[in-house]
């Protein structure tokens, strides 16, 4: 069933621009299209597209409680510039209190299990809440962000969250993303100018060196599959 919906969406949108596809989805799935932003470069392009066309797409963010000040700054600037409401999902206070009581504030450095536990509490649970009842989830994923994102499609069924994902910037290069931001004066996280490409929580993100893998700056002390449970790729 969901596989056939994905195929139908691929067929119906194959000749449409990104703007047209976003408008098509907003109309076809009224009130059930959401976009998750972490205010990274790709997400800022999508926010700009949604705002430019004043599309009825809900934008939300996950405030893990451990974000960089620079992320809050770009969040604030984005609100001011686009005057578009952004919903915020916070982790359950009791879960965070319990985690800190049991394991302290930096348990994510001690093991992959601990790290995943923190990501689950601070990201996966709030995301599950944000996606509930919706049908289309727009993301800023790009194929060149990591090897395992290479085989993503524009539309995908996400079995974990039982929702169809739309990845409009899938085939964009980082240079194209940066050009769109510069040409359209889109607010961006100041950390991008300091070598940060993929930006998540402050204790788990570092700048990367030129030529280093884009995802190398996330959970840099871990060697394998660097995902937090939001996206399987
Ligand atoms: Fe916790 Fe780090 Fe995951 Fe953020 S990225 S939720 S601080 S483990």
């Amino acid at each position: 069933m969901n596989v056939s919906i994905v195929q139908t969406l691929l067929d119906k949108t194959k000749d449409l621009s990104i703007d047209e596809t976003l408008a098509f989805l907003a109309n076809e799935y009224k009130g059930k299209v959401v976009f998750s932003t972490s205010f990274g470069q790709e997400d800022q392009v999508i926010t700009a597209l949604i705002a430019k066309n004043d599309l009825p797409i809900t934008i939300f963010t996950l405030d893990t409680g451990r974000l960089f000040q620079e992320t809050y700054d770009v969040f604030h600037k984005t609100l001011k510039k686009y005057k578009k409401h952004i919903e915020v999902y916070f982790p359950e206070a009791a879960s965070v209190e319990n985690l800190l009581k049991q394991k302290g504030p930096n348990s994510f450095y001690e093991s992959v299990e601990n790290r995943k536990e923190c990501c689950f509490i601070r990201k996966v649970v709030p995301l599950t809440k944000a996606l509930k009842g919706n049908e289309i989830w727009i993301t800023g994923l790009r194929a060149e962000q990591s090897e395992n994102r290479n085989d993503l499609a524009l539309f995908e069924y996400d079995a974990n969250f039982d929702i169809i994902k739309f990845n409009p910037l899938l085939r964009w290069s980082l240079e194209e993303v940066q050009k769109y931001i510069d040409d359209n004066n889109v607010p961006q996280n100041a950390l991008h100018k300091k070598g940060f490409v993929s930006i998540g929580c402050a204790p788990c993100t570092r700048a990367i060196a030129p030529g280093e893998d884009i995802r190398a700056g996330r959970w840099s002390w871990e060697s394998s599959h660097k995902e937090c449970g939001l996206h399987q790729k």
Side-chain angles (χ1 to χ4, degrees), residues 64 66 108 114-116 118-120 122-123 200-205 218-219 221 228:
T64 62
R66 302 296 298 253
F108 35 76
N114 278 358
R115 197 270 289 168
K116 288 191 171 169
C118 184
C119 283
F120 184 79
R122 294 182 188 272
K123 294 180 171 181
C201 293
C204 300
T205 309
R218 304 294 294 276
W219 309 291
W221 63 94
C228 52

Side-chain angles (χ1 to χ4, degrees), residues 26 33 78 81 95 109 113 118 160 165 192 204:
V33 185
T78 304
K81 179 166 174 114
S95 304
Y109 292 134
E113 291 68 35
C118 184
N160 270 5
K165 257 179 177 172
H192 290 307
C204 300

